Amino acid sequence: MDVQSRELTVTYKIVPPPSAVAPPSLSQETTHRFPITVTSLPDLESQEDTESELKKYYTSLRASIAEARTKLGGELTAWRDAVGNAELGKEKSVKTEVDDEGEEEENTEE
């Protein structure tokens, strides 16, 4: 059996507002690599062997994605906590429209 190494690579760059004070443990630019171990047979003679290898690959891929999600989630949450409310003014608030149909139904019952 031949083992090939592949990886899931995730890179992000955070640009916090100037007023934000980030702890030194947080890096503004980070790249993470999560290994995906693929086992391949040199001579796949049957469809069953191919399906088995694909199943192993996708199982390993799912595990790498879950690991990446957990790692990034923790780091981005730490950044959110460090930035705090400094970013609130950047987002526009959108008012929801009042449901006119609901009001008409109430008025007709009177």
Side-chain angles (χ1 to χ4, degrees), residues 17-64:
S19 62
V21 178
S25 62
L26 294 177
S27 175
Q28 290 185 353
E29 192 168 349
T30 305
T31 297
H32 293 292
R33 290 179 171 78
F34 303 93
I36 303 168
T37 306
V38 181
T39 307
S40 64
L41 299 172
D43 296 317
L44 296 175
E45 295 178 8
S46 73
Q47 181 71 20
E48 189 175 294
D49 289 340
T50 303
E51 289 176 6
S52 174
E53 290 304 312
L54 284 174
K55 187 173 183 176
K56 289 177 187 176
Y57 170 77
Y58 284 112
T59 299
S60 179
L61 178 61
R62 283 188 193 101
S64 295

Side-chain angles (χ1 to χ4, degrees), residues 67-97:
E67 184 181 353
R69 184 176 180 190
T70 301
K71 178 81 172 171
L72 292 167
E75 290 176 357
L76 295 177
T77 298
W79 269 108
R80 183 198 63 203
D81 295 344
V83 170
N85 294 333
E87 290 284 297
L88 287 179
K90 285 189 170 186
E91 294 184 21
K92 294 180 181 178
S93 60
V94 178
K95 294 183 181 179
T96 58
E97 293 183 24

